[in-house]
Amino acid sequence: MNIKIISLETVDSTNEYLKRENHKPITVVTANHQTGGKGRRGKRWISPPGKGLYISFLFKKPELLSNIQIISLSTAVAVAKTLNVLKEGFTIKWPNDILFDGKKLCGILPELSGNRLIVGIGINLFHSKEELKGTEYPATSLKISGIKFEKDKLTLNLIESVINYFERTVNGEFEIEEFEKLSVIKPGSRITVKRNSGLETVTALGIDREGYLIVEKDGKVERLFSAEISVRI
Ligand code: BTN
């Protein structure tokens, strides 16, 4: 397998960099600083110099995948498993937020660009509480959580794990049960769903094979697609 790794000092966004440049799959780009880090649903991702792991992967868009939602979930498993080696206790909030002690520590942003799939991952490493104050959810970093790590080693382990899970997902070998084991949303959990139309409290029933969250309210069952909503627990 041919993997190219690029390290940048400063970039607007590692996802945007991969969209602009004509690199071949598989290319991995990291940056020490993002001036326009992007989060899900048009939010920004706090990316001060030297504080986080900002990394994006360029893959060839898998032909047989009906949507990229399942990649979102399998990447979250890859990241959570890598972090759980440092210390047990990392969980996933559907679709792909990684939590520690119930606080968000990592976000994942998959995007399609033509026939390429870009998967961006941001992990809060050295952020102080002050630096994370602007988030609309409780957030933490490895440092705040008192977790010891070595950045270079963590980065290499993460690259290996994310590529491994991507390949397994494309080959149909990723089992949704792996996600369910790490998920904080269990069947029966009451959750609040935030859509453009407002907030709604529903009961989670489970996650289907394509990665949709199945919820129920007043007897009505619905499949939720990750790009359109955010979930509170
Ligand atoms: C989220 O909102 O949870 C997703 C955050 C994704 C952030 C990462 S940092 C590396 C890559 N480049 C970006 O601009 N965003 C992603």
Side-chain angles (χ1 to χ4, degrees):
M1 193 190 300
N2 203 0
I3 302 163
K4 185 169 161 194
I5 301 180
I6 301 170
S7 299
L8 304 172
E9 177 52 38
T10 302
V11 71
D12 51 351
S13 146
T14 50
N15 273 30
E16 292 302 315
Y17 173 87
L18 285 175
K19 281 190 210 163
R20 270 192 311 265
E21 308 285 325
N22 198 19
H23 292 292
K24 291 201 169 56
I26 295 174
T27 299
V28 182
V29 58
T30 65
N32 193 45
H33 176 208
Q34 294 188 120
T35 52
K38 300 193 315 171
R40 288 179 60 223
R41 306 174 81 239
K43 302 263 159 45
R44 75 192 175 103
W45 186 254
I46 300 172
S47 312
K51 295 294 167 110
L53 178 54
Y54 318 119
I55 185 167
S56 297
F57 295 73
L58 171 67
F59 296 111
K60 184 170 173 292
K61 178 178 169 278
E63 272 152 33
L64 291 176
L65 284 192
S66 53
N67 63 59
I68 58 170
Q69 174 147 282
I70 197 73
I71 297 282
S72 223
L73 272 64
S74 69
T75 305
V77 172
V79 178
K81 287 206 159 180
T82 305
L83 292 168
N84 272 328
V85 173
L86 299 174
K87 185 170 180 164
E88 280 295 323
F90 289 87
T91 54
I92 308 170
K93 180 163 75 77
W94 182 92
N96 56 22
D97 287 350
I98 311 293
L99 312 181
F100 189 81
D101 259 348
K103 301 188 187 96
K104 181 163 168 175
L105 180 123
C106 163
I108 300 171
L109 182 65
E111 295 185 279
L112 280 177
S113 172
N115 63 351
R116 305 174 314 162
L117 168 67
I118 290 157
V119 182
I121 302 170
I123 305 183
N124 300 337
L125 302 178
F126 303 104
H127 297 63
S128 62
K129 283 190 183 154
E130 194 61 30
E131 281 162 326
L132 293 173
K133 243 167 65 186
T135 60
E136 61 179 38
Y137 44 78
T140 189
S141 66
L142 290 181
K143 186 169 176 216
I144 297 168
S145 301
I147 297 169
K148 299 228 167 350
F149 65 98
E150 214 187 286
K151 186 176 174 185
D152 289 348
K153 199 167 156 206
L154 177 64
T155 306
L156 286 178
N157 290 344
L158 186 81
I159 291 173
E160 197 181 327
S161 179
V162 168
I163 292 176
N164 177 264
Y165 268 85
F166 175 80
E167 302 287 337
R168 286 181 50 199
T169 308
V170 172
N171 295 333
E173 293 161 8
F174 172 66
E175 304 283 348
I176 205 73
E177 287 74 21
E178 285 195 61
F179 183 93
E180 285 172 330
K181 273 190 205 143
L182 292 161
S183 174
V184 285
I185 302 175
K186 303 286 183 200
S189 296
R190 295 285 285 164
I191 57 171
T192 302
V193 173
K194 186 178 175 199
R195 311 178 215 236
N196 292 338
S197 52
L199 295 175
E200 196 182 6
T201 300
V202 299
T203 304
L205 299 181
I207 293 155
D208 71 12
R209 297 187 66 77
E210 288 174 68
Y212 287 83
L213 180 65
I214 315 294
V215 300
E216 184 264 340
K217 188 182 181 190
D218 302 331
K220 193 173 145 246
V221 175
E222 207 185 333
R223 295 170 90 211
L224 300 181
F225 184 63
S226 59
E228 294 150 12
I229 58 159
S230 75
V231 167
R232 292 185 197 162
I233 42 178

